[in-house]
Amino acid sequence: MKSAGKSVGSAPNVPSGTPSGGDFFAAAQYSDWVRGSIRALAGRPNAIALYDSTISEPSDLLAGLVAKSLVTVDDDGAPRLSSRYVSVFANGNRFLVDALCARYDETPERLQTVTGVTGALQLILRALVKPGERVLIENPGFKLLTNLALEAGAVVDEVDRPAPHFGIDPAQVAAKLTPETRLVILTNPHNPTGAFLDHATLKAVAQAAATVGALLVVDEVYGDFARRPSAGLAARLAPNIVSLASLTKVFGLFALKCGWMVAAPEVLGRIRAGQPEGDVGVSKLSHAVAAHVMENADTFDRHWQAVMTSTTPVLHRHAAAMRDEGLIEGAVPAAGCLYFPRIVGVADTLALTRHLWNQVDLLVAPGEYFGLAGHVRLGYAGDAETLDRGLSRLHAGLRAWRDR
C-alpha cells in the first residue's frame, strides 16, 4: 500500500515472505524475527540477547504481592479472592482505575483500562478510522503501529524523525495532513531511539492535527522512564490528544496484559460508541492483580529504578569506547531503556547482526525492522553483568566487521 509519496509496510532491505529453514534473519516482520530468535537462543545457552525493550520482569516482587494480597483467608479459614477481584465489564476494575488516577493525577471519566497499548490502538482504529481514511505515523518507528493501521484498512502516511536527534517538526506533520487524516500516532519516548518530545512540540502537533479534525495518539508506554508520573500524561495538553500506556515496559509486567488510555471524556465517548463491545480481551483476574500492583506502585518503581541505576553506567562506558574508536555514532538518550546507535560505515545492518550472531553469539535488533537501516536497537534494562558481557561482544564484533 502506498502513502502520500512513500511506501509503507516492510522497510527497505527487509526480506519479504516467511522465513524458512530456521533462518530468522529472513523474517519480513520484527515480530517473526523475535520469535525465531527465541527459538534459536534456546539452542545456544552462551548467547546473549540485547534487544529486549522492557525492564527485567520483577517476578519475585509479583509472586510476593500475589501471595500476600490476591488471596485472603476468612474467619473460617477458607481462602477468598481479594476485594480487588471485581468485574471489568463496565468501566474496568474500579480499584485499578482509582490507583491509576492517583498516580497520573487524572479522573475516572478520562481513563479507560484495556489489555495493553496494542488493544487500545485496535479499539481506536476500529472506532474512528474507516477503510481508505488516513493515519500519519512516524518513521523510523515501531512497525506494529503501521501494521495495525493497515489491518484496519487505513492508508498510512509517514512523517520522518531524522537522525541524529530523531525529533518531530510540527510543520512537517502539518504538511503531511490531509482532510482524510483521522489519526497522528507518535511514541514518546520514541521507539526505537528513546528520543523524548517536550510539551511544546506535542501541543504544536496536536494543534496541527486539530486543523483537519484529527486526533494525536501518543504511545507513552515508556513515559515513566522520562518524567515523574505526577507530571501527567500528554492527554492533558490538548483536548484532541489520547495517551496510551501499560504495565509492560517500565514495570516489566507484560504477563498482566494491562494498559490504559486517557483522553477527554468526549473522545473516549466516541471510541466507545464506535466499538461498544469494548476490549473483550480484558481479564478480570489480571486486572485484579494489576490493581494490587498499582496500589503498591512505589515498590515496583524502586525495582526499575534500581535496574536502570545499575545498567545505564555500563551502557555509557561501552558506548563511549565504541564512539571513540569510530565504530558507532549517537548519544545515549537521557532516559529510557533503548539505544539506537548508527553503525559507522554499515548500510546493511541485517548482514551485520547476522555476523554478530554467528561470530560472537550476540543478538541485537537490525534497524531495518524499524525503518532505518544502518542502526541497531539495543535494550539495556536487564542484568548489568550480562549487559557488560554483551556490549563487550558487540565492541569486538564491530571491530572484526570493520577489519575484515
Side-chain angles (χ1 to χ4, degrees), residues 150-238:
L150 293 173
E151 289 168 5
V155 177
V156 175
D157 299 316
E158 292 183 345
V159 61
D160 288 334
R161 297 190 65 158
H165 302 298
F166 299 103
I168 280 283
D169 182 349
Q172 291 187 1
V173 173
K176 291 280 188 173
L177 297 170
T178 78
E180 292 75 40
T181 302
R182 296 293 171 263
L183 303 175
V184 178
I185 302 177
L186 302 177
T187 56
N188 194 41
H190 183 216
N191 185 1
T193 71
F196 188 71
L197 300 176
D198 60 23
H199 284 182
T201 299
L202 291 172
K203 285 181 181 179
V205 172
Q207 289 170 355
T211 64
V212 297
L215 296 178
L216 168 59
V217 178
V218 185
D219 176 350
E220 298 187 74
V221 74
Y222 293 102
D224 286 0
F225 281 128
R227 45 105 172 100
R228 293 177 61 84
S230 59
L233 300 167
R236 71 171 55 179
L237 299 175

Side-chain angles (χ1 to χ4, degrees), residues 8 10 35 40-41 54 111 116 138 147 156 170 190 217 219 222 229 232 243 277 300 306 338 379-380 387 404:
V8 298
S10 294
R35 291 187 189 98
L41 284 163
T54 176
L111 191 145
E138 63 198 6
N147 293 341
V156 175
H190 183 216
V217 178
D219 176 350
Y222 293 102
S243 289
E277 69 275 18
F300 292 86
L338 300 176
Y380 59 103
L387 177 66
R404 289 175 306 158

Side-chain angles (χ1 to χ4, degrees), residues 380-400:
Y380 59 103
D383 171 74
E385 190 274 333
T386 302
L387 177 66
D388 191 24
R389 290 190 292 115
L391 291 173
S392 293
R393 293 183 187 186
L394 177 61
H395 198 158
L398 292 179
R399 281 176 177 161

